[in-house]
Amino acid sequence: MNDKTFALKGICMYSKTQQVIEVMDGYVISADGICQGVYENIPKEFEGITVHDYTGKLIIPGLIDLHLHASQYPFRATGMDLELLEWLDTYTFPEESQYADIEYAKKAYSIFVNDFKNSPTTRACIFATIHKEATLLLMSLLEDTGMKTMVGKVNMDRNCPDYLKEESPEKSIEDTIEFINYARQNYKNTVPILTPRFIPTCSDDLMVSLGKLKEEYHLALHSHLSENKTEIDWVRNLCPDADSYTDAYERRGSFDQSGKTIMAHCVYLTKEEEDLLKRRNVFIAHCPDSNMNLASGIAPIRRYLKKGLNVGLGTDVAAGSFINLFHAMSSAIQSSKLYWRLVDQTDLPLTLEEVFYMGTKGGGAFFGNVGSFEKGFLMDAVILSDDNIQSSKTLTPKERLERIIYLGKDENVISKYVDGTRIEMNEFK
Amino acid sequence: MNDKTFALKGICMYSKTQQVIEVMDGYVISADGICQGVYENIPKEFEGITVHDYTGKLIIPGLIDLHLHASQYPFRATGMDLELLEWLDTYTFPEESQYADIEYAKKAYSIFVNDFKNSPTTRACIFATIHKEATLLLMSLLEDTGMKTMVGKVNMDRNCPDYLKEESPEKSIEDTIEFINYARQNYKNTVPILTPRFIPTCSDDLMVSLGKLKEEYHLALHSHLSENKTEIDWVRNLCPDADSYTDAYERRGSFDQSGKTIMAHCVYLTKEEEDLLKRRNVFIAHCPDSNMNLASGIAPIRRYLKKGLNVGLGTDVAAGSFINLFHAMSSAIQSSKLYWRLVDQTDLPLTLEEVFYMGTKGGGAFFGNVGSFEKGFLMDAVILSDDNIQSSKTLTPKERLERIIYLGKDENVISKYVDGTRIEMNEFK
């Protein structure tokens, strides 16, 4: 027995399938950081292990945020008056340029990491900026939390302001390799991921080189795809060789099989693009709050789920305002209802079960066996209290979970475990 | 000079027009509860008055919630899987039936009022249930807060479960008159408003009698209009005499000029219905969060504003999850963006200025000169701290306000004044 062998006692809830949330008032068992399942009573073989008693509280797998920009956190919930491309020029690029200053980066990233610790998220894929030092600083801060993250130094060498443009594809690759090597040597919880911003700001040379790097270094890759109609038209002009935006990534080697790929948004895919993403086992990060804020549209997520695509959720801070992934769950339901009402009634809106699945097991698959309390999954857990949400009604566990998802407050998170280790949250908890 | 004569010092912000938020770091002056305007320095004539010092904090007019159901607060943020009519049958009516039990009502309404005190709202129009005693109890609890509210005992005598159906139009009117008289004799801050649920659950006899009561007692009226397509079809069948849902209210006397009328939702109005609402000076309560949750659709609010209709905001708890009207503001922007993107690009999405206007001065007009710091307005003010939202950036007052609107936390409200009197908020403040 070790520190990672224990039981959590409480009302355990996790996705068995996309349609079913299992609920059991009992114990979820961790043996050396690996989940052994949920039981009404502690099984004989685990008698005597440490029990962390959260009787009456909800215990769920940690939430997985497949897409957010730590560097944009300082301007979250402001600058909501523009569409994507104007929003990048007006708010995003000026803010991201500040991370050339390591003192600014320290101040900004410390605030981000501090808040992030208190969120219900246990694992995340994070954009930083083009700046190698600042990105490594962010990784160092994240490393200390015990949370598991994939962090990317951004690549961009065209169609962006000079103050944020990498001087050449070669220099961008050189910095990226240094970043990868340093991160791999120094961090355990935080691993590097390739992060070309998106095709409009990355030259063909750069994209092709990153594709090769992906294979050579067995790296995952994280980018944006098909978020906004003007963006899609732009890519069509930039990539006359490609059949589609998705195909442009394919032809530049972003989807090879040596590592996994996340594409954020995917609002306007054609059937052929959907097929290609499925063939290449790409993960879609659905970011509904962002897609509303930037007037991008609504991704047809149930169609993707039916088709068997990998779909997880992203907060997409700062185009999304909330670092709390519960908010992405309720936004996903709301926007799917409007899609059903206003666009296409073929597929019904998303259910609570489905968004919970996407925010746990769906996105968790990007990290391996993550996002469930089934046997063999890595032991990530979040303990939720709803003492601060009073009601005159007696609620079922599922209603209590739904209420926490819709109200989306970090204050409901009273404890979290990642990979069998308890995360030290901020003092006000 | 009296208690209602004072200055609030801080960063004062209020809507001058639908397009302009005035900002001044200075003093908003109250003389006997009437706002005297905002000044950089205290004018000579007010020298020596008490100054409540909120330096650095944002001071805005109190928010106006034109539509919510206090009786539904216990199940807020749950039961989000149905459309309007099924939602009423499955969740709403069973919950509302419990208010026949005064002990239950006391427990439920106490929780509601407690939370409501801490919200940024200063004035609201509230649905209770059909139960006279429970409704008066709610009014008594609200009276003690000092907030200004209009509360309605609900009328419904058809097309609803027997356990919630009033036995006849006559009995419904008799109870309503008793309710009005008791409330008028006993409460000052909380006034009665006629509250037929909506045409489907109110017989023609009942509606016509309520129209007469409205005139005779000079009462305002509060109901629902054109929320959901199935509901609209139903009203077409129920009211063969009427040209439209709106016209059905008109023909039953709901819009007479003796008192004001609020109609919640108005998602699918025809041009003729818009004209009729304008002619009758009806207020529209836009409830975007609710309209998403019940998959109702998106009301074309900018069109209504351009046309000069009266539009305010409603949280519509519990079809809306949040008692905090800031959330209705951000939802209104988000859903208007999706309307623009998915339905009709004639009108641009709503701006921060416009939703702030609707949540203050727009809805405030239903209560008289309310919702601004211009001279002559009643002195309602909310003081906002954003100390709990850290940022590495220096933000303008408008950005700080935007951030509070999007993040929508009651914790940002540190103090509020209604009609020149400070409201005692809950202890945790």
Side-chain angles (χ1 to χ4, degrees):
Chain A
M1 281 212 301
N2 62 23
D3 279 359
K4 293 188 171 193
T5 299
F6 57 82
L8 303 177
K9 181 176 190 300
I11 300 166
C12 304
M13 306 180 76
Y14 62 96
S15 291
K16 197 166 174 178
T17 66
Q18 287 180 9
Q19 280 74 43
V20 177
I21 298 176
E22 282 284 307
V23 182
M24 185 179 280
D25 194 349
Y27 301 83
V28 53
I29 311 280
S30 169
D32 202 19
I34 308 296
C35 186
Q36 304 300 309
V38 175
Y39 305 89
E40 216 169 325
N41 299 293
I42 294 180
K44 242 193 166 64
E45 60 187 298
F46 297 111
E47 271 175 12
I49 61 172
T50 307
V51 175
H52 301 295
D53 191 348
Y54 299 107
T55 302
K57 309 298 182 204
L58 305 184
I59 305 178
I60 64 169
L63 304 191
I64 312 299
D65 190 343
L66 283 190
H67 182 65
L68 81 161
H69 297 255
S71 52
Q72 295 171 14
Y73 194 61
F75 71 93
R76 70 194 180 284
T78 68
M80 293 302 193
D81 53 337
L82 298 172
E83 282 192 83
L84 174 65
L85 301 178
E86 298 74 21
W87 176 83
L88 287 170
D89 284 335
T90 308
Y91 301 111
T92 307
F93 292 153
E95 175 63 25
E96 291 195 7
S97 73
Q98 298 205 64
Y99 292 80
D101 171 2
I102 199 76
E103 285 309 311
Y104 183 83
K106 191 171 177 183
K107 187 171 161 191
Y109 282 145
S110 297
I111 292 170
F112 166 75
V113 171
N114 227 24
D115 287 356
F116 198 48
K117 277 203 292 190
N118 285 356
S119 79
T121 296
T122 52
R123 297 181 191 242
C125 295
I126 300 175
F127 267 63
T129 62
I130 61 164
H131 310 95
K132 194 179 58 187
E133 287 75 20
T135 304
L136 290 169
L137 170 73
L138 170 63
M139 293 179 91
S140 155
L141 294 168
L142 286 166
E143 178 74 13
D144 295 342
T145 66
M147 294 166 69
K148 299 285 184 183
T149 54
M150 298 190 191
V151 175
K153 184 205 93 56
V154 174
N155 303 96
M156 46 200 279
D157 68 342
R158 68 170 177 183
N159 293 325
C160 55
D162 284 342
Y163 61 72
L164 210 60
K165 197 184 290 177
E166 294 182 295
E167 65 182 61
S168 66
E170 295 73 26
K171 179 71 170 100
S172 178
I173 295 294
E174 188 188 315
D175 276 1
T176 303
I177 291 173
E178 281 179 31
F179 150 75
I180 294 162
N181 289 335
Y182 186 91
R184 285 185 167 173
Q185 282 157 24
N186 290 278
Y187 309 127
K188 191 171 57 76
N189 298 322
T190 301
V191 302
I193 182 169
L194 292 176
T195 308
R197 175 162 231 119
F198 63 159
I199 279 181
T201 60
C202 300
S203 67
D204 290 353
D205 280 357
L206 176 56
M207 289 304 295
V208 169
S209 300
L210 287 170
K212 289 180 185 154
L213 213 58
K214 186 175 196 289
E215 232 174 321
E216 193 180 339
Y217 282 75
H218 301 281
L219 285 157
L221 184 143
H222 183 192
S223 194
H224 300 91
L225 172 62
S226 197
E227 177 175 0
N228 167 290
K229 291 190 165 184
T230 313
E231 171 210 17
I232 295 168
D233 290 342
W234 194 11
V235 173
R236 192 175 296 123
N237 290 327
L238 287 169
C239 305
D241 62 307
D243 298 333
S244 65
Y245 196 165
T246 305
D247 185 51
Y249 280 113
E250 164 77 355
R251 287 175 189 252
R252 283 151 189 74
S254 305
F255 299 152
D256 82 296
Q257 301 292 332
S258 70
K260 286 175 177 163
T261 304
I262 297 177
M263 287 284 150
H265 305 303
C266 302
V267 179
Y268 297 104
L269 301 179
T270 63
K271 193 187 160 303
E272 290 69 29
E273 291 181 283
E274 293 171 15
D275 293 341
L276 177 52
L277 291 182
K278 184 169 180 183
R279 238 171 19 248
R280 291 306 211 169
N281 205 27
V282 170
F283 279 69
I284 293 171
H286 176 41
C287 307
D289 192 42
S290 163
N291 298 158
M292 287 198 253
N293 285 332
L294 299 187
S296 303
I298 304 174
I301 296 301
R302 181 185 287 282
R303 190 169 81 221
Y304 299 164
L305 292 176
K306 273 168 64 181
K307 197 160 182 169
L309 293 172
N310 300 310
V311 187
L313 294 176
T315 59
D316 195 21
V317 163
S321 307
F322 296 90
I323 203 172
N324 186 312
L325 201 85
F326 285 133
H327 188 83
M329 293 186 188
S330 59
S331 285
I333 296 176
Q334 287 191 323
S335 62
S336 75
K337 285 174 175 168
L338 291 178
Y339 188 84
W340 172 80
R341 167 58 67 204
L342 303 174
V343 182
D344 182 357
Q345 303 211 341
T346 309
D347 296 314
L348 286 173
L350 295 171
T351 63
L352 188 76
E353 285 79 358
E354 286 166 330
V355 298
F356 184 71
Y357 178 93
M358 289 192 286
T360 55
K361 206 172 175 180
F366 195 76
F367 288 84
N369 269 342
V370 167
S372 174
F373 290 150
E374 290 158 287
K375 192 169 171 160
F377 276 67
L378 298 177
M379 189 61 194
D380 288 11
V382 168
I383 291 91
L384 301 168
S385 165
D386 52 5
D387 292 351
N388 61 342
I389 318 172
Q390 286 192 68
S391 177
S392 47
K393 276 170 70 80
T394 305
L395 300 170
T396 63
K398 211 181 101 182
E399 287 170 330
R400 292 173 60 193
L401 178 64
E402 186 176 13
R403 208 168 54 156
I404 290 172
I405 287 173
Y406 273 88
L407 299 179
K409 294 184 174 190
D410 288 347
E411 289 75 3
N412 296 119
V413 180
I414 56 168
S415 187
K416 65 185 181 187
Y417 295 80
V418 178
D419 221 15
T421 301
R422 187 167 190 274
I423 304 299
E424 198 182 323
M425 294 170 68
N426 291 338
E427 269 179 28
F428 73 83
K429 295 286 157 182
Chain B
M1 281 211 302
N2 62 22
D3 280 0
K4 292 189 171 193
T5 299
F6 57 81
L8 303 177
K9 181 176 191 299
I11 300 165
C12 305
M13 306 180 75
Y14 62 97
S15 291
K16 196 165 176 182
T17 66
Q18 288 180 7
Q19 280 74 42
V20 177
I21 297 176
E22 281 285 308
V23 182
M24 185 179 281
D25 195 348
Y27 302 83
V28 53
I29 311 280
S30 169
D32 202 19
I34 307 296
C35 188
Q36 304 300 312
V38 176
Y39 303 89
E40 216 169 326
N41 298 294
I42 294 181
K44 241 191 167 69
E45 60 189 297
F46 297 110
E47 269 176 12
I49 62 172
T50 308
V51 175
H52 302 295
D53 191 349
Y54 298 107
T55 301
K57 309 298 182 203
L58 305 184
I59 305 178
I60 63 170
L63 304 191
I64 312 299
D65 191 344
L66 283 191
H67 182 65
L68 81 162
H69 297 256
S71 52
Q72 295 172 13
Y73 194 61
F75 71 92
R76 71 195 179 284
T78 68
M80 293 300 192
D81 54 338
L82 298 172
E83 281 190 83
L84 174 65
L85 302 178
E86 299 74 22
W87 177 84
L88 286 170
D89 284 335
T90 308
Y91 301 111
T92 307
F93 292 152
E95 176 63 24
E96 290 195 8
S97 73
Q98 298 204 64
Y99 292 80
D101 172 3
I102 198 76
E103 284 309 311
Y104 183 83
K106 192 172 176 179
K107 188 172 161 188
Y109 282 145
S110 297
I111 292 171
F112 166 75
V113 171
N114 226 25
D115 287 356
F116 198 47
K117 276 203 293 191
N118 285 356
S119 79
T121 296
T122 51
R123 298 182 190 241
C125 295
I126 301 176
F127 267 63
T129 62
I130 61 164
H131 310 94
K132 193 179 56 187
E133 287 75 19
T135 304
L136 290 168
L137 171 72
L138 170 62
M139 293 179 90
S140 154
L141 294 168
L142 286 166
E143 178 73 12
D144 294 343
T145 65
M147 295 165 69
K148 299 285 183 183
T149 54
M150 298 190 190
V151 175
K153 184 205 93 57
V154 174
N155 302 95
M156 46 199 281
D157 68 343
R158 69 171 177 182
N159 293 324
C160 56
D162 284 341
Y163 61 72
L164 209 59
K165 197 183 289 177
E166 294 182 295
E167 65 183 60
S168 66
E170 295 73 26
K171 179 73 170 102
S172 178
I173 294 294
E174 188 187 314
D175 276 2
T176 303
I177 291 173
E178 281 180 31
F179 151 74
I180 293 162
N181 288 334
Y182 186 93
R184 285 186 166 173
Q185 281 156 27
N186 290 277
Y187 309 128
K188 190 172 58 79
N189 298 322
T190 301
V191 302
I193 182 169
L194 291 175
T195 309
R197 177 164 229 116
F198 62 160
I199 279 182
T201 61
C202 299
S203 66
D204 290 352
D205 280 356
L206 176 56
M207 289 304 296
V208 169
S209 300
L210 287 169
K212 288 180 185 154
L213 213 59
K214 185 174 196 290
E215 232 175 319
E216 193 180 339
Y217 281 76
H218 301 279
L219 286 156
L221 185 144
H222 182 191
S223 195
H224 299 91
L225 173 63
S226 197
E227 176 175 1
N228 167 290
K229 291 192 166 186
T230 313
E231 171 210 19
I232 295 168
D233 290 342
W234 194 11
V235 173
R236 192 174 296 124
N237 290 326
L238 287 169
C239 306
D241 62 308
D243 299 332
S244 65
Y245 195 166
T246 305
D247 185 51
Y249 280 113
E250 164 78 356
R251 287 174 188 252
R252 283 150 189 75
S254 305
F255 298 152
D256 82 295
Q257 300 293 335
S258 71
K260 287 174 178 163
T261 304
I262 298 177
M263 287 285 151
H265 305 303
C266 301
V267 179
Y268 297 104
L269 300 180
T270 63
K271 192 187 160 303
E272 290 69 29
E273 290 181 283
E274 293 171 13
D275 293 341
L276 177 52
L277 291 182
K278 183 168 181 185
R279 236 171 19 248
R280 291 307 211 168
N281 205 27
V282 170
F283 279 68
I284 293 171
H286 176 43
C287 307
D289 192 42
S290 163
N291 296 158
M292 286 199 252
N293 285 332
L294 299 186
S296 302
I298 304 174
I301 295 302
R302 181 185 286 282
R303 191 169 80 220
Y304 298 164
L305 291 176
K306 271 169 62 181
K307 198 160 181 167
L309 293 172
N310 300 310
V311 188
L313 294 175
T315 58
D316 195 19
V317 164
S321 307
F322 295 89
I323 203 172
N324 186 311
L325 201 85
F326 286 133
H327 189 82
M329 293 186 188
S330 60
S331 285
I333 295 176
Q334 288 191 322
S335 61
S336 75
K337 285 173 176 170
L338 291 178
Y339 188 84
W340 171 81
R341 168 57 67 205
L342 303 173
V343 181
D344 182 357
Q345 303 209 342
T346 309
D347 296 314
L348 286 174
L350 295 171
T351 63
L352 188 76
E353 285 79 359
E354 287 165 330
V355 298
F356 185 72
Y357 178 92
M358 289 193 285
T360 55
K361 206 172 176 181
F366 195 75
F367 288 84
N369 268 344
V370 168
S372 174
F373 291 150
E374 290 157 288
K375 190 168 173 163
F377 276 67
L378 298 176
M379 189 62 196
D380 288 11
V382 168
I383 291 92
L384 302 168
S385 164
D386 52 4
D387 293 350
N388 61 342
I389 319 172
Q390 287 191 67
S391 178
S392 47
K393 276 171 68 81
T394 305
L395 301 170
T396 64
K398 211 181 103 185
E399 287 170 329
R400 292 173 60 193
L401 178 64
E402 186 176 14
R403 208 167 56 154
I404 290 171
I405 287 173
Y406 273 88
L407 300 178
K409 294 184 174 189
D410 288 347
E411 290 75 3
N412 297 120
V413 180
I414 56 168
S415 186
K416 65 184 181 187
Y417 295 79
V418 179
D419 223 13
T421 301
R422 187 167 190 275
I423 303 299
E424 197 181 324
M425 296 171 68
N426 292 338
E427 269 179 27
F428 72 83
K429 295 288 156 181

